[in-house]
Amino acid sequence: MYTFSNKLRIGSFIAMAVGLIFLAIGFVSAPSTVEEAKAIVAAAHDDGHGGGHGEEATTHAVASDHGAEEAHGEGHDASHDEHLLHQLQNRPWSALYVAAFFFFMISLGVLAFYAIQRAAQAGWSPLLFRVMEGITAYLVPGGIIVFVILVLSVLHMNHMFVWMDADVVAHDKLLQGKAGYLNPTFFLVRATIFLGGWIFYRQYSRKLSLAQDESDDNSNFVKNFRWSAGFLVFYLVTESMMSWDWIMSVDPHWFSTLFGWYVFASMFVSGITVIAMVVMYLKSKGYLQEVNDSHLHDLAKFMFAISIFWTYLWFAQFMLIWYANIPEEVTYYVARIEDYKLPFFGMLVMNFIFPLLVLMNSDYKRVNWFVVMAGIVVLAGHYLDVFNMIMPATVGDQWHIGIPEIGGILFFGGLFVYWVFTALTKAPLLPKRNPFLEESRQFHY
Amino acid sequence: MASKVIQALYNDDDVLMHAVKKVRAEHHHIEEVYTPFPVHGLDKAMGLEDTRIAITSFMYGCLGLAVAIIMMNYIMIADWPQDIGGKPSFSYLENMPAFVPIMFEMTVFFAAHLMVITFYLRSRMWPFKKAENPDVRTTDDHFLMEIGVHDNEDELTALLQETGAVEIKVTEKES
């Protein structure tokens, strides 16, 4: 049995507390009127210049800024100001949503990996099943939090999903055309079905997995195999629809056919990375004695391969739209390249070039600290990926990775660690009776 | 290389593996082992060095990438930068997404083909090459271990007999 180390528990509580404070600061400092919003933007400009220049230059920059601001102010019309206000109000919400979705996505990716291992009857992975089940335990709180955020969006607490605003839809022919699918009631019904199905499979498979330990035949194992195969079909459909609903619909004028796969690749590689990192942590504490280098090597191979798969999909989506350059599609990338140059191309380096070079060598895939280092970069890169998918539509050029964003990562990271490691204490870390257990013990590559 | 060799034939890969380990433990140099199929772990048991062919492949891939970039940059950007359907041909970077499929394929092409050719060269394989097969049965169902003889024929024969060889013969090795 695993015992939750006190240090880690306290660490996760501190992360949650600091994250909550940061998020609260984000919400409190969000403007509530147009005037406040303009003041924030003006202050941000001053700060930016003051930080970068010497003292003499500061006064100059501030002066020129004021000039620009005044000239600007005359050009502004009321709707532009309101747009700015909404963007600034969205920022803490988006920071919350991106972080909530990112950690939820990790556990969902692990669930998909777990189901594939069961359905494929993989011989190497049964030793890691309990770790995967521990990580997918976060699906329940994480899914509920994401759902609550979606409900609050439907209740007009924020402006992340413009199609939820009846006024906007009334003046938008395109959104009216999509209203049959994108309407608040159906949206929440779908979300309930997705989450219900995923959580049901997770809980039921875990139950069968634990029952298999105590039984004297393999009926639970066979049942679990069948449910996993069925789940994968359900998952493929619902994951795709989830990506349209929860992510693509923040840009309701834009659409892409392979978006579901793209989001899937992102969650899959993050999930595998987290499995590898948790396994290495537990092994370093002496809990997973029988897990050897070859298991780690296999996980790292998956990290490497799925990172490339993610890049393939990223590029396939980007290149097709860039090449054809159809105005209604290309605005998506114009907004990202204009305003998000560094995060947009930075994530490509973190998610593709870095793992490509670091994890290519077979020997390096067995070195723990190498895999951990690659894993940290990959996870940060996929956080940026979600960031790049949500933020341009909700906060536009007012983005910043500051207090609310870091608060979101800290809070959900802390919650994730707390929940996952608590779940790991609930059952022995090694399954007792799995037909492939011995093969997994002997696994050697 | 000794001009006289002793050849032991086995009919099971497990027996062969044990024999290899035993012969190595007695510090005899195994010149060659002939098997009809890859025996997992035989290279480790014989103490052969790891192959470096993956490293060559990586370098060939880099070469292919460089060839693709230089070629496309010269043709599309430097030599005759036409406006083809509005694609920006002012710099390589601006039009790069259109070149990625070529860059990728060239990388794979160079990495794969040059690696295969390297493999042929290093393992000396080519059409019309005379087969180096000491016993026709080794391509079907027998395994053959070859050890050089240095005036210790009787000792070696006894050792190999112990390891479960089904047949032992001493021959002159040509060349």
Side-chain angles (χ1 to χ4, degrees):
Chain A
M1 288 295 268
Y2 169 68
T3 41
F4 201 162
S5 90
N6 254 335
K7 248 191 229 161
L8 198 62
R9 191 199 308 266
I10 293 167
S12 69
F13 280 133
I14 292 174
M16 275 191 271
V18 174
L20 263 186
I21 294 169
F22 278 17
L23 278 171
I25 293 173
F27 276 102
V28 170
S29 60
S32 50
T33 63
V34 171
E35 282 69 35
E36 277 177 50
K38 284 162 94 173
I40 286 173
V41 172
H45 274 257
D46 287 353
D47 279 357
H49 283 280
H53 293 266
E55 231 172 282
E56 283 166 68
T58 311
T59 45
H60 176 74
V62 169
S64 73
D65 244 25
H66 279 302
E69 197 59 37
E70 274 163 63
H72 239 58
E74 285 159 3
H76 272 221
D77 54 9
S79 74
H80 198 137
D81 289 341
E82 189 152 345
H83 182 63
L84 177 72
L85 172 67
H86 284 176
Q87 287 184 333
L88 288 171
Q89 283 178 334
N90 269 340
R91 196 179 147 203
W93 281 99
S94 302
L96 181 78
Y97 185 54
V98 168
F101 182 81
F102 175 68
F103 284 99
F104 167 76
M105 158 179 119
I106 290 174
S107 65
L108 188 58
V110 173
L111 190 68
F113 188 73
Y114 170 80
I116 289 171
Q117 297 299 310
R118 283 212 176 269
Q121 307 205 344
W124 66 278
S125 52
L127 275 184
L128 310 177
F129 276 175
R130 284 293 141 75
V131 176
M132 297 186 211
E133 285 164 10
I135 299 171
T136 54
Y138 179 75
L139 206 62
V140 181
I144 290 171
I145 291 172
V146 170
F147 187 75
V148 168
I149 297 175
L150 296 177
V151 170
L152 293 178
S153 304
V154 167
L155 295 175
H156 304 299
M157 300 285 285
N158 59 59
H159 309 277
M160 286 196 296
F161 299 87
V162 281
W163 58 267
M164 286 175 182
D165 194 333
D167 277 353
V168 175
V169 179
H171 297 101
D172 193 323
K173 278 265 194 277
L174 273 171
L175 291 188
Q176 284 164 27
K178 292 182 182 182
Y181 185 80
L182 282 184
N183 64 70
T185 324
F186 191 25
F187 178 79
L188 289 183
V189 169
R190 282 195 306 267
T192 316
I193 294 170
F194 303 158
L195 283 169
W198 300 334
I199 289 173
F200 165 76
Y201 166 72
R202 192 270 157 194
Q203 300 297 64
Y204 191 58
S205 178
R206 164 82 163 179
K207 205 181 122 203
L208 288 173
S209 172
L210 292 180
Q212 173 68 22
D213 273 7
E214 307 304 329
S215 75
D216 42 18
D217 62 1
N218 285 335
S219 60
N220 291 304
F221 175 81
V222 174
K223 239 192 227 170
N224 214 343
F225 164 74
R226 294 203 179 119
W227 274 104
S228 301
F231 165 76
L232 284 172
V233 177
F234 175 79
Y235 170 79
L236 216 65
V237 177
T238 50
E239 188 275 334
S240 205
M241 294 176 80
M242 175 275 278
S243 73
W244 312 334
D245 281 8
W246 298 0
I247 298 183
M248 200 156 80
S249 85
V250 295
D251 278 299
H253 284 178
W254 182 79
F255 46 85
S256 165
T257 40
L258 60 67
F259 197 74
W261 278 107
Y262 173 67
V263 174
F264 164 73
S266 200
M267 69 168 69
F268 204 50
V269 68
S270 322
I272 293 164
T273 305
V274 171
I275 297 174
M277 291 170 95
V278 173
V279 165
M280 276 182 282
Y281 171 77
L282 291 174
K283 193 173 155 60
S284 74
K285 297 283 167 201
Y287 285 106
L288 291 169
Q289 301 283 2
E290 289 182 283
V291 171
N292 57 38
D293 279 359
S294 296
H295 294 101
L296 183 64
H297 187 260
D298 260 31
L299 284 169
K301 264 195 287 191
F302 267 107
M303 280 165 66
F304 175 71
I306 308 297
S307 283
I308 292 170
F309 178 63
W310 174 89
T311 315
Y312 166 65
L313 291 175
W314 178 87
F315 184 72
Q317 182 169 276
F318 172 74
M319 195 259 216
L320 283 187
I321 289 174
W322 172 87
Y323 210 113
N325 205 16
I326 300 173
E328 70 199 56
E329 290 181 345
V330 87
T331 47
Y332 184 81
Y333 286 111
V334 171
R336 277 155 185 79
I337 292 173
E338 294 279 307
D339 297 331
Y340 289 74
K341 207 167 221 119
L342 185 64
F344 188 66
F345 292 109
M347 81 171 172
L348 204 59
V349 175
M350 295 165 85
N351 292 342
F352 174 58
I353 297 173
F354 189 82
L356 179 83
L357 295 177
V358 168
L359 293 177
M360 192 184 303
N361 192 318
S362 179
D363 296 331
Y364 293 170
K365 285 198 271 261
R366 294 161 183 276
V367 181
N368 280 17
W369 69 268
F370 241 84
V371 178
V372 169
M373 187 178 68
I376 290 170
V377 173
V378 165
L379 284 180
H382 284 281
Y383 173 81
L384 269 186
D385 186 19
V386 180
F387 186 86
N388 282 326
M389 287 194 274
I390 300 287
M391 288 291 181
T394 55
V395 302
D397 57 358
Q398 299 300 322
W399 72 277
H400 200 67
I401 297 189
I403 286 178
E405 285 79 10
I406 293 168
I409 296 171
L410 282 177
F411 175 72
F412 287 102
L415 184 67
F416 184 84
V417 168
Y418 174 72
W419 207 279
V420 167
F421 284 88
T422 306
L424 286 172
T425 61
K426 298 275 168 62
L429 281 180
L430 293 181
K432 279 204 274 293
R433 205 178 171 290
N434 181 311
F436 292 104
L437 192 59
E438 197 48 38
E439 183 180 341
S440 182
R441 278 207 185 101
Q442 307 289 337
F443 177 65
H444 165 76
Y445 167 75
Chain B
M1 200 196 247
S3 61
K4 222 174 164 195
V5 292
I6 188 160
Q7 294 174 333
L9 278 147
Y10 299 88
N11 55 11
D12 189 278
D13 50 343
D14 262 358
V15 179
L16 172 77
M17 285 287 282
H18 285 117
V20 167
K21 280 174 194 158
K22 188 155 183 185
V23 170
R24 290 239 321 148
E26 302 282 333
H27 300 295
H28 293 294
H29 176 69
I30 301 171
E31 304 224 321
E32 195 62 273
V33 175
Y34 297 87
T35 65
F37 53 78
V39 177
H40 193 75
L42 184 61
D43 53 337
K44 290 229 168 56
M46 287 174 69
L48 298 181
E49 266 180 62
D50 277 348
T51 172
R52 289 168 294 179
I53 201 155
I55 299 168
T56 68
S57 181
F58 179 78
M59 294 191 292
Y60 297 145
C62 293
L63 176 70
L65 185 65
V67 167
I69 291 173
I70 292 166
M71 175 177 76
M72 299 313 292
N73 186 50
Y74 176 69
I75 298 172
M76 301 300 290
I77 309 296
D79 189 33
W80 196 354
Q82 293 183 92
D83 182 341
I84 302 168
K87 285 278 159 276
S89 47
F90 306 107
S91 74
Y92 189 79
L93 207 58
E94 267 184 305
N95 210 0
M96 201 203 59
F99 303 143
V100 166
I102 297 160
M103 286 153 65
F104 172 77
E105 294 293 348
M106 290 289 263
T107 308
V108 174
F109 181 88
F110 274 65
H113 287 83
L114 293 182
M115 179 177 77
V116 167
I117 293 170
T118 307
F119 170 74
Y120 286 154
L121 290 175
R122 282 296 283 143
S123 42
R124 296 194 205 94
M125 296 206 308
W126 59 86
F128 313 114
K129 178 198 162 84
K130 194 171 170 291
E132 302 164 356
N133 196 0
D135 192 308
V136 286
R137 287 171 295 175
T138 60
T139 61
D140 182 15
D141 61 348
H142 277 66
F143 304 83
L144 189 150
M145 176 162 48
E146 197 171 82
I147 304 165
V149 178
H150 307 274
D151 304 325
N152 53 356
E153 197 179 317
D154 296 336
E155 182 203 337
L156 270 176
T157 312
L159 176 69
L160 290 172
Q161 207 80 58
E162 243 176 79
T163 60
V166 292
E167 190 181 318
I168 296 171
K169 50 187 178 181
V170 181
T171 48
E172 289 292 329
K173 188 100 174 163
E174 59 227 67
S175 84

Short mmCIF file of all heavy atoms in Angstrom, two decimals, chain A residues 273-313:
data_model
loop_
_atom_site.label_atom_id
_atom_site.label_comp_id
_atom_site.label_asym_id
_atom_site.label_seq_id
_atom_site.Cartn_x
_atom_site.Cartn_y
_atom_site.Cartn_z
N THR A 273 2.63 11.42 -20.41
CA THR A 273 3.73 12.07 -19.69
C THR A 273 3.49 12.03 -18.19
O THR A 273 4.41 11.74 -17.42
CB THR A 273 3.84 13.52 -20.17
OG1 THR A 273 3.97 13.52 -21.58
CG2 THR A 273 5.03 14.20 -19.55
N VAL A 274 2.25 12.30 -17.79
CA VAL A 274 1.96 12.29 -16.35
C VAL A 274 2.09 10.87 -15.80
O VAL A 274 2.60 10.68 -14.69
CB VAL A 274 0.58 12.90 -16.08
CG1 VAL A 274 0.18 12.69 -14.63
CG2 VAL A 274 0.61 14.39 -16.39
N ILE A 275 1.66 9.86 -16.56
CA ILE A 275 1.84 8.47 -16.10
C ILE A 275 3.32 8.23 -15.84
O ILE A 275 3.72 7.73 -14.79
CB ILE A 275 1.33 7.45 -17.14
CG1 ILE A 275 -0.16 7.59 -17.36
CG2 ILE A 275 1.63 6.03 -16.68
CD1 ILE A 275 -0.68 6.70 -18.48
N ALA A 276 4.15 8.60 -16.82
CA ALA A 276 5.60 8.36 -16.68
C ALA A 276 6.14 9.08 -15.44
O ALA A 276 6.93 8.52 -14.68
CB ALA A 276 6.33 8.82 -17.93
N MET A 277 5.70 10.32 -15.23
CA MET A 277 6.25 11.08 -14.12
C MET A 277 5.80 10.52 -12.77
O MET A 277 6.59 10.42 -11.83
CB MET A 277 5.88 12.56 -14.26
CG MET A 277 6.60 13.20 -15.43
SD MET A 277 5.99 14.82 -15.80
CE MET A 277 7.14 15.81 -14.91
N VAL A 278 4.52 10.13 -12.68
CA VAL A 278 4.04 9.56 -11.41
C VAL A 278 4.73 8.23 -11.15
O VAL A 278 5.15 7.94 -10.01
CB VAL A 278 2.50 9.40 -11.44
CG1 VAL A 278 2.02 8.66 -10.21
CG2 VAL A 278 1.82 10.75 -11.54
N VAL A 279 4.90 7.42 -12.20
CA VAL A 279 5.58 6.14 -12.03
C VAL A 279 7.00 6.36 -11.53
O VAL A 279 7.46 5.70 -10.59
CB VAL A 279 5.58 5.35 -13.36
CG1 VAL A 279 6.58 4.21 -13.30
CG2 VAL A 279 4.20 4.81 -13.65
N MET A 280 7.69 7.32 -12.12
CA MET A 280 9.08 7.57 -11.70
C MET A 280 9.13 8.08 -10.27
O MET A 280 10.00 7.69 -9.49
CB MET A 280 9.74 8.58 -12.64
CG MET A 280 10.31 7.91 -13.86
SD MET A 280 11.11 9.09 -14.91
CE MET A 280 9.75 9.84 -15.71
N TYR A 281 8.16 8.93 -9.90
CA TYR A 281 8.13 9.42 -8.52
C TYR A 281 7.93 8.26 -7.56
O TYR A 281 8.68 8.10 -6.59
CB TYR A 281 7.01 10.46 -8.36
CG TYR A 281 6.80 10.85 -6.92
CD1 TYR A 281 7.68 11.73 -6.29
CD2 TYR A 281 5.76 10.31 -6.18
CE1 TYR A 281 7.51 12.06 -4.96
CE2 TYR A 281 5.58 10.65 -4.85
CZ TYR A 281 6.46 11.52 -4.24
OH TYR A 281 6.29 11.82 -2.92
N LEU A 282 6.92 7.41 -7.84
CA LEU A 282 6.62 6.30 -6.93
C LEU A 282 7.79 5.33 -6.86
O LEU A 282 8.12 4.81 -5.80
CB LEU A 282 5.35 5.59 -7.38
CG LEU A 282 4.05 6.37 -7.22
CD1 LEU A 282 2.89 5.61 -7.83
CD2 LEU A 282 3.78 6.65 -5.75
N LYS A 283 8.43 5.10 -8.00
CA LYS A 283 9.56 4.18 -8.01
C LYS A 283 10.71 4.75 -7.20
O LYS A 283 11.38 4.03 -6.45
CB LYS A 283 9.99 3.92 -9.45
CG LYS A 283 10.93 2.74 -9.58
CD LYS A 283 11.19 2.41 -11.03
CE LYS A 283 12.52 1.70 -11.21
NZ LYS A 283 12.63 0.44 -10.48
N SER A 284 10.93 6.05 -7.33
CA SER A 284 12.04 6.65 -6.59
C SER A 284 11.77 6.59 -5.09
O SER A 284 12.71 6.60 -4.28
CB SER A 284 12.24 8.10 -7.03
OG SER A 284 11.20 8.90 -6.49
N LYS A 285 10.49 6.50 -4.68
CA LYS A 285 10.18 6.36 -3.26
C LYS A 285 10.15 4.89 -2.85
O LYS A 285 9.78 4.57 -1.72
CB LYS A 285 8.81 6.99 -2.96
CG LYS A 285 8.77 8.47 -3.23
CD LYS A 285 9.46 9.24 -2.12
CE LYS A 285 9.69 10.66 -2.56
NZ LYS A 285 10.73 11.36 -1.82
N GLY A 286 10.45 4.00 -3.80
CA GLY A 286 10.55 2.58 -3.46
C GLY A 286 9.23 1.84 -3.48
O GLY A 286 9.11 0.77 -2.90
N TYR A 287 8.21 2.39 -4.15
CA TYR A 287 6.91 1.71 -4.14
C TYR A 287 6.70 0.77 -5.32
O TYR A 287 5.96 -0.17 -5.21
CB TYR A 287 5.77 2.73 -4.10
CG TYR A 287 5.62 3.35 -2.75
CD1 TYR A 287 6.03 4.65 -2.50
CD2 TYR A 287 5.07 2.62 -1.71
CE1 TYR A 287 5.91 5.21 -1.26
CE2 TYR A 287 4.94 3.17 -0.45
CZ TYR A 287 5.37 4.48 -0.23
OH TYR A 287 5.25 5.01 1.00
N LEU A 288 7.32 1.06 -6.44
CA LEU A 288 7.09 0.22 -7.61
C LEU A 288 8.37 -0.51 -7.97
O LEU A 288 8.98 -0.26 -9.00
CB LEU A 288 6.61 1.08 -8.79
CG LEU A 288 5.21 1.67 -8.69
CD1 LEU A 288 4.99 2.69 -9.78
CD2 LEU A 288 4.15 0.59 -8.77
N GLN A 289 8.76 -1.44 -7.09
CA GLN A 289 10.05 -2.11 -7.27
C GLN A 289 10.11 -2.87 -8.59
O GLN A 289 11.16 -2.98 -9.19
CB GLN A 289 10.28 -3.10 -6.12
CG GLN A 289 10.29 -2.46 -4.75
CD GLN A 289 11.58 -1.74 -4.46
OE1 GLN A 289 12.45 -1.68 -5.30
NE2 GLN A 289 11.68 -1.16 -3.27
N GLU A 290 8.96 -3.43 -8.98
CA GLU A 290 9.01 -4.32 -10.14
C GLU A 290 8.95 -3.59 -11.48
O GLU A 290 9.11 -4.20 -12.52
CB GLU A 290 7.88 -5.33 -10.05
CG GLU A 290 8.14 -6.33 -8.94
CD GLU A 290 7.06 -7.36 -8.87
OE1 GLU A 290 5.98 -7.05 -8.34
OE2 GLU A 290 7.29 -8.47 -9.35
N VAL A 291 8.69 -2.30 -11.41
CA VAL A 291 8.71 -1.53 -12.66
C VAL A 291 10.17 -1.28 -13.03
O VAL A 291 10.94 -0.79 -12.21
CB VAL A 291 7.96 -0.20 -12.48
CG1 VAL A 291 8.16 0.69 -13.69
CG2 VAL A 291 6.49 -0.45 -12.24
N ASN A 292 10.54 -1.66 -14.23
CA ASN A 292 11.96 -1.54 -14.60
C ASN A 292 12.15 -0.50 -15.70
O ASN A 292 11.20 0.16 -16.13
CB ASN A 292 12.51 -2.91 -15.02
CG ASN A 292 11.71 -3.52 -16.16
OD1 ASN A 292 11.29 -2.80 -17.06
ND2 ASN A 292 11.52 -4.82 -16.11
N ASP A 293 13.39 -0.39 -16.13
CA ASP A 293 13.75 0.58 -17.17
C ASP A 293 12.93 0.40 -18.44
O ASP A 293 12.66 1.36 -19.14
CB ASP A 293 15.22 0.39 -17.56
CG ASP A 293 16.12 1.08 -16.58
OD1 ASP A 293 15.57 1.70 -15.65
OD2 ASP A 293 17.34 1.00 -16.74
N SER A 294 12.59 -0.85 -18.73
CA SER A 294 11.90 -1.11 -19.99
C SER A 294 10.49 -0.53 -19.99
O SER A 294 10.01 -0.07 -21.02
CB SER A 294 11.84 -2.61 -20.25
OG SER A 294 13.14 -3.10 -20.43
N HIS A 295 9.83 -0.55 -18.83
CA HIS A 295 8.51 0.08 -18.76
C HIS A 295 8.65 1.58 -19.02
O HIS A 295 7.86 2.17 -19.75
CB HIS A 295 7.88 -0.13 -17.38
CG HIS A 295 7.56 -1.56 -17.08
ND1 HIS A 295 8.34 -2.34 -16.28
CD2 HIS A 295 6.52 -2.34 -17.49
CE1 HIS A 295 7.80 -3.55 -16.20
NE2 HIS A 295 6.71 -3.58 -16.92
N LEU A 296 9.65 2.15 -18.39
CA LEU A 296 9.90 3.58 -18.58
C LEU A 296 10.22 3.88 -20.04
O LEU A 296 9.74 4.86 -20.62
CB LEU A 296 11.06 4.00 -17.68
CG LEU A 296 11.38 5.48 -17.70
CD1 LEU A 296 10.22 6.28 -17.16
CD2 LEU A 296 12.64 5.75 -16.91
N HIS A 297 11.02 2.98 -20.62
CA HIS A 297 11.40 3.14 -22.02
C HIS A 297 10.17 3.13 -22.91
O HIS A 297 10.05 3.94 -23.83
CB HIS A 297 12.35 2.00 -22.38
CG HIS A 297 12.96 2.12 -23.73
ND1 HIS A 297 12.48 1.43 -24.81
CD2 HIS A 297 13.99 2.84 -24.18
CE1 HIS A 297 13.19 1.73 -25.88
NE2 HIS A 297 14.12 2.59 -25.52
N ASP A 298 9.23 2.25 -22.60
CA ASP A 298 8.00 2.18 -23.40
C ASP A 298 7.18 3.45 -23.26
O ASP A 298 6.67 3.98 -24.25
CB ASP A 298 7.16 0.97 -22.98
CG ASP A 298 7.35 -0.18 -23.94
OD1 ASP A 298 8.45 -0.28 -24.49
OD2 ASP A 298 6.41 -0.97 -24.12
N LEU A 299 7.06 3.94 -22.01
CA LEU A 299 6.29 5.18 -21.82
C LEU A 299 6.95 6.33 -22.56
O LEU A 299 6.27 7.15 -23.18
CB LEU A 299 6.19 5.49 -20.32
CG LEU A 299 5.20 4.64 -19.54
CD1 LEU A 299 5.38 4.87 -18.05
CD2 LEU A 299 3.78 4.98 -19.93
N ALA A 300 8.28 6.39 -22.49
CA ALA A 300 8.98 7.48 -23.15
C ALA A 300 8.82 7.38 -24.66
O ALA A 300 8.72 8.39 -25.36
CB ALA A 300 10.46 7.47 -22.76
N LYS A 301 8.77 6.13 -25.17
CA LYS A 301 8.54 5.95 -26.60
C LYS A 301 7.17 6.51 -26.99
O LYS A 301 7.02 7.15 -28.03
CB LYS A 301 8.57 4.46 -26.95
CG LYS A 301 9.92 4.00 -27.45
CD LYS A 301 9.81 2.63 -28.11
CE LYS A 301 9.61 1.55 -27.09
NZ LYS A 301 9.76 0.19 -27.64
N PHE A 302 6.19 6.24 -26.13
CA PHE A 302 4.85 6.78 -26.39
C PHE A 302 4.87 8.30 -26.35
O PHE A 302 4.26 8.96 -27.20
CB PHE A 302 3.85 6.25 -25.36
CG PHE A 302 3.13 5.01 -25.81
CD1 PHE A 302 3.41 3.79 -25.27
CD2 PHE A 302 2.15 5.09 -26.78
CE1 PHE A 302 2.76 2.65 -25.68
CE2 PHE A 302 1.48 3.96 -27.20
CZ PHE A 302 1.79 2.73 -26.64
N MET A 303 5.58 8.87 -25.38
CA MET A 303 5.68 10.33 -25.30
C MET A 303 6.27 10.89 -26.58
O MET A 303 5.78 11.88 -27.14
CB MET A 303 6.60 10.75 -24.13
CG MET A 303 5.97 10.74 -22.78
SD MET A 303 7.22 10.83 -21.49
CE MET A 303 7.89 12.45 -21.76
N PHE A 304 7.31 10.25 -27.04
CA PHE A 304 8.01 10.68 -28.26
C PHE A 304 7.09 10.59 -29.46
O PHE A 304 6.90 11.55 -30.22
CB PHE A 304 9.24 9.78 -28.42
CG PHE A 304 10.03 10.00 -29.67
CD1 PHE A 304 10.77 11.15 -29.84
CD2 PHE A 304 10.05 9.05 -30.67
CE1 PHE A 304 11.52 11.34 -30.99
CE2 PHE A 304 10.79 9.23 -31.82
CZ PHE A 304 11.52 10.39 -31.98
N ALA A 305 6.46 9.42 -29.61
CA ALA A 305 5.66 9.18 -30.81
C ALA A 305 4.41 10.06 -30.82
O ALA A 305 4.05 10.62 -31.87
CB ALA A 305 5.26 7.70 -30.87
N ILE A 306 3.76 10.21 -29.68
CA ILE A 306 2.52 10.99 -29.68
C ILE A 306 2.84 12.48 -29.78
O ILE A 306 2.04 13.26 -30.30
CB ILE A 306 1.66 10.66 -28.45
CG1 ILE A 306 1.45 9.16 -28.32
CG2 ILE A 306 0.30 11.35 -28.54
CD1 ILE A 306 0.70 8.51 -29.45
N SER A 307 4.01 12.89 -29.31
CA SER A 307 4.41 14.28 -29.52
C SER A 307 4.49 14.57 -31.02
O SER A 307 4.07 15.63 -31.50
CB SER A 307 5.78 14.57 -28.90
OG SER A 307 5.66 14.71 -27.52
N ILE A 308 5.05 13.61 -31.75
CA ILE A 308 5.17 13.80 -33.20
C ILE A 308 3.79 13.73 -33.85
O ILE A 308 3.49 14.50 -34.77
CB ILE A 308 6.15 12.76 -33.77
CG1 ILE A 308 7.55 13.11 -33.27
CG2 ILE A 308 6.11 12.74 -35.28
CD1 ILE A 308 8.56 12.07 -33.54
N PHE A 309 2.95 12.85 -33.33
CA PHE A 309 1.58 12.76 -33.85
C PHE A 309 0.85 14.08 -33.64
O PHE A 309 0.15 14.56 -34.53
CB PHE A 309 0.85 11.62 -33.13
CG PHE A 309 -0.58 11.46 -33.52
CD1 PHE A 309 -0.93 11.13 -34.82
CD2 PHE A 309 -1.60 11.61 -32.60
CE1 PHE A 309 -2.25 10.96 -35.18
CE2 PHE A 309 -2.92 11.45 -32.95
CZ PHE A 309 -3.24 11.13 -34.24
N TRP A 310 1.04 14.68 -32.44
CA TRP A 310 0.41 15.98 -32.17
C TRP A 310 0.90 17.01 -33.18
O TRP A 310 0.11 17.79 -33.73
CB TRP A 310 0.76 16.43 -30.74
CG TRP A 310 0.28 17.81 -30.46
CD1 TRP A 310 -0.93 18.17 -29.97
CD2 TRP A 310 0.99 19.04 -30.68
NE1 TRP A 310 -1.02 19.53 -29.88
CE2 TRP A 310 0.14 20.09 -30.30
CE3 TRP A 310 2.27 19.35 -31.15
CZ2 TRP A 310 0.53 21.42 -30.40
CZ3 TRP A 310 2.63 20.66 -31.25
CH2 TRP A 310 1.78 21.69 -30.87
N THR A 311 2.21 17.00 -33.44
CA THR A 311 2.77 17.98 -34.37
C THR A 311 2.21 17.78 -35.77
O THR A 311 1.91 18.73 -36.48
CB THR A 311 4.29 17.85 -34.42
OG1 THR A 311 4.77 17.72 -33.10
CG2 THR A 311 4.91 19.03 -35.09
N TYR A 312 2.07 16.51 -36.12
CA TYR A 312 1.52 16.18 -37.43
C TYR A 312 0.14 16.78 -37.58
O TYR A 312 -0.18 17.41 -38.59
CB TYR A 312 1.49 14.66 -37.57
CG TYR A 312 0.67 14.13 -38.70
CD1 TYR A 312 1.02 14.38 -40.01
CD2 TYR A 312 -0.45 13.35 -38.46
CE1 TYR A 312 0.26 13.90 -41.05
CE2 TYR A 312 -1.21 12.86 -39.49
CZ TYR A 312 -0.86 13.14 -40.78
OH TYR A 312 -1.62 12.66 -41.80
N LEU A 313 -0.70 16.63 -36.53
CA LEU A 313 -2.05 17.17 -36.61
C LEU A 313 -2.02 18.69 -36.56
O LEU A 313 -2.78 19.35 -37.28
CB LEU A 313 -2.90 16.61 -35.47
CG LEU A 313 -3.19 15.13 -35.60
CD1 LEU A 313 -3.92 14.63 -34.38
CD2 LEU A 313 -4.02 14.85 -36.84
#
